[in-house]
């Protein structure tokens, strides 16, 4: 793909969780790599995590007054039509003032109004679907946009086949070279190289079942002589830090959020993780043996489908959420003690990575710009 001969103006919209935000930032970074003067604006939902994470990554963001529908009757649901009307009007104003050459939707609340407004003005539009089961926003937008980049095959059951491009999920570039950073990682977390390290990540918002299972089995992990890096999410950090304080001499490191995930992967021998699309993609590129605990609280149980794509290739182990209290710690300890199994999982998961996803998505985007 030849480099553009002028700075492009691009809006990237979506958010709500790290699974939407970090792929969006990876696309923005690749845009800057091929078009260093590109003017990139993010559009998110007010009050959601993208409003802090995107500026931390060095990009401008504006927020829309938008949220999702709740499954039960709430005041938020009563205000939903007003929020949609207000957000579409605000999106039209943003587009009129910014004058983008193209827009990218990542799913999440904000991308619906923004891409609706953009496609109404015939601005080239691309959406990126991270999961094996498409989100409702992307499904609704698919007929309006020009291109749909996906991470899994057989997505024509959700999207028009002629618009589909299989690219994989873009991840932060620092994840890809994490295997060369082990010493730096151990030093960063204050750990030692003579012990096995288990990394626990419940997604950017935390995972109650995983946190409770780790808390209940912490003594077993320590008695086995292992170290623990534990991302808890905000809701569980106080309890985890109390346990960390209690066991400080035995190498427990608890965080509500880990910014240097490249170093967390580099330090880890085994990873316990939810099976969100971003986590799966990062594990494939970091090449880490993993025990996946899919969240049951997602549409169409898509995290189990994500996980099974790896399990069927003997690229990860699976513990179901309902069985985590009983099986998670024994499964993780058995894997941590079995280096042959670790090597098998590592070799197979590395085969499933798509390291050029951001490059391919940006190439598709540039093709759309006349």
């Amino acid at each position: 793909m030849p480099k553009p001969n002028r700075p492009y103006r691009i809006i990237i919209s979506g958010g709500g969780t790290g699974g939407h935000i970090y792929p969006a930032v990876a696309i923005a970074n690749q845009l800057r790599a091929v078009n260093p003067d590109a003017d990139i604006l993010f559009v998110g939902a007010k009050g959601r995590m993208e409003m802090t994470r995107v500026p931390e990554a060095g990009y401008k963001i504006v927020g829309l007054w938008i949220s999702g529908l709740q499954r039960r009757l709430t005041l938020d649901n009563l205000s939903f039509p007003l929020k949609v009307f207000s957000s579409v009007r605000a999106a039209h104003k943003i587009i009129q003032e910014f004058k983008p050459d193209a827009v990218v939707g990542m799913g999440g609340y904000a991308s619906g109004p923004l891409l609706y407004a953009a496609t109404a003005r015939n601005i080239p539009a691309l959406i990126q679907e991270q999961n094996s089961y498409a989100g409702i926003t992307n499904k609704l937008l698919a007929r309006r946009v020009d291109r749909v980049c996906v991470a899994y095959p057989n997505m024509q059951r959700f999207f028009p086949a002629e618009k589909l491009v299989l690219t994989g999920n873009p991840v932060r570039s620092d994840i890809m070279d994490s295997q060369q950073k082990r010493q730096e990682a151990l030093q960063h977390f204050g750990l030692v190289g003579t012990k096995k390290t288990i990394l626990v990540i419940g997604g950017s918002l935390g995972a109650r079942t995983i946190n409770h299972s780790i808390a209940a089995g912490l003594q077993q992990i320590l008695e086995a002589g292992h170290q623990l890096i534990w991302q808890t999410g905000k809701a569980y950090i106080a309890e985890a830090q109390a346990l960390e304080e209690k066991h400080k001499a035995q190498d427990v490191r608890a965080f509500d959020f880990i910014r240097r995930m490249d170093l967390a992967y580099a330090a880890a021998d085994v990873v316990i993780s939810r099976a969100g699309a971003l986590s799966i993609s990062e594990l494939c590129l970091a090449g880490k043996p993993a025990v996946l605990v899919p969240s049951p609280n997602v549409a169409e149980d898509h995290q189990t489908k994500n996980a099974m794509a790896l399990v069927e290739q003997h690229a990860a182990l699976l513990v179901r959420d309902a069985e985590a209290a009983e099986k998670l710690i024994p499964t993780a300890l058995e894997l941590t003690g079995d280096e042959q199994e670790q090597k098998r999982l590592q070799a197979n998961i590395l085969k499933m990575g798509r390291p050029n996803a951001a490059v391919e998505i940006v190439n598709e985007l540039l093709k759309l710009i006349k």
Side-chain angles (χ1 to χ4, degrees):
M1 171 65 62
K3 292 197 174 186
N5 56 13
R6 65 177 175 86
Y8 285 141
R9 301 173 66 80
I10 307 293
I11 295 178
I12 302 177
S13 185
T17 68
H20 293 307
I21 298 163
Y22 296 116
V25 170
I27 290 171
N29 290 343
Q30 176 59 26
L31 271 166
R32 282 270 168 86
V34 299
N35 194 202
D37 297 321
D39 196 353
I40 300 169
L41 176 67
F42 280 75
V43 175
K46 289 180 178 177
R48 303 292 290 186
M49 67 183 290
E50 59 265 26
M51 300 308 293
T52 55
R53 299 289 178 239
V54 168
E56 286 172 359
Y59 294 99
K60 299 172 292 185
I61 186 167
V62 294
L64 300 178
W65 183 47
I66 188 69
S67 61
L69 278 168
Q70 306 299 309
R71 293 181 183 178
R72 62 192 186 285
L73 185 62
T74 67
L75 288 175
D76 273 351
N77 279 356
L78 295 176
S79 65
F80 182 72
L82 179 60
K83 287 181 177 180
V84 171
F85 178 74
S86 168
S87 292
V88 171
R89 280 190 65 183
H92 273 291
K93 186 177 180 185
I94 290 166
I95 288 165
Q96 186 174 349
E97 292 176 354
F98 188 77
K99 296 180 173 59
D101 293 295
V103 297
V104 179
M106 304 300 296
Y109 308 137
S111 70
L114 192 285
L115 268 79
Y116 179 87
T119 52
R121 292 166 178 257
N122 294 317
I123 293 169
L126 175 153
I127 55 176
Q128 199 260 327
E129 174 57 55
Q130 297 92 38
N131 288 291
S132 58
Y133 188 90
I136 186 167
T137 303
N138 280 347
K139 284 193 283 187
L140 291 171
L141 290 170
R143 65 183 179 82
R144 299 179 65 92
V145 304
D146 303 286
R147 196 80 81 248
V148 181
C149 294
V150 295
Y152 292 86
N154 305 315
M155 295 295 282
Q156 58 269 25
R157 65 192 193 278
F158 304 115
F159 303 120
E162 68 276 9
K163 296 183 180 182
L164 286 175
V165 183
L166 180 62
T167 59
N169 282 325
V171 303
R172 294 163 286 187
S173 58
D174 57 5
I175 301 292
M176 289 185 246
D177 60 0
S178 63
Q179 294 184 58
Q180 281 74 54
K181 300 177 182 176
R182 184 167 174 81
Q183 283 310 118
E184 180 189 354
L186 293 171
Q187 187 174 359
H188 177 82
F189 289 105
L191 302 173
V192 297
T194 54
K195 295 183 178 182
K196 293 284 188 182
T197 303
I198 298 173
L199 169 63
V200 179
I201 42 177
S204 54
L205 303 177
R208 182 183 305 166
T209 304
I210 292 177
N211 285 334
H212 287 175
S213 300
I214 295 298
L218 187 59
Q219 194 61 43
Q220 290 174 260
I221 294 171
L222 298 173
E223 286 174 358
H226 303 324
Q227 304 170 127
L228 185 69
I229 302 171
W230 184 6
Q231 178 178 283
T232 65
K234 286 184 179 178
Y236 202 79
I237 187 61
E239 290 91 333
Q241 285 179 336
L243 288 166
E244 178 187 17
E245 189 64 31
K246 180 180 175 183
H247 297 289
K248 184 154 281 185
Q250 294 173 291
D251 300 314
V252 179
R253 304 287 182 267
F255 307 90
D256 61 337
F257 181 79
I258 299 173
R259 284 182 171 77
R260 291 297 306 270
M261 277 306 300
D262 58 323
L263 297 184
Y265 285 121
D269 295 287
V270 166
V271 179
I272 295 171
S273 177
R274 283 302 199 198
L278 176 67
S279 297
I280 294 279
S281 297
E282 289 186 348
L283 288 166
C284 288
L285 293 176
K288 291 295 170 177
V291 181
L292 300 176
V293 187
S295 171
N297 306 312
V298 294
E300 301 295 325
D301 197 24
H302 72 248
Q303 284 205 7
T304 296
K305 295 179 176 70
N306 290 348
M308 288 307 299
L310 271 65
V311 172
E312 288 166 0
Q313 300 299 318
H314 196 68
L317 304 181
L318 173 71
V319 172
R320 297 191 182 276
D321 191 85
E323 300 174 330
E326 177 188 353
K327 294 185 177 179
L328 180 56
I329 297 301
T331 301
L333 291 179
E334 184 178 351
L335 177 58
T336 307
D338 187 342
E339 294 204 2
Q340 284 302 111
E341 178 70 348
Q342 289 174 42
K343 287 176 182 175
R344 273 194 295 272
L345 293 175
Q346 183 176 33
N348 289 331
I349 201 169
L350 279 168
K351 293 175 190 173
M352 302 186 74
R354 295 185 71 99
N356 295 317
V359 173
E360 293 178 27
I361 291 167
V362 167
N363 285 348
E364 291 299 324
L365 184 66
L366 297 182
K367 288 177 192 175
L368 298 180
I369 299 174
K370 299 290 190 291

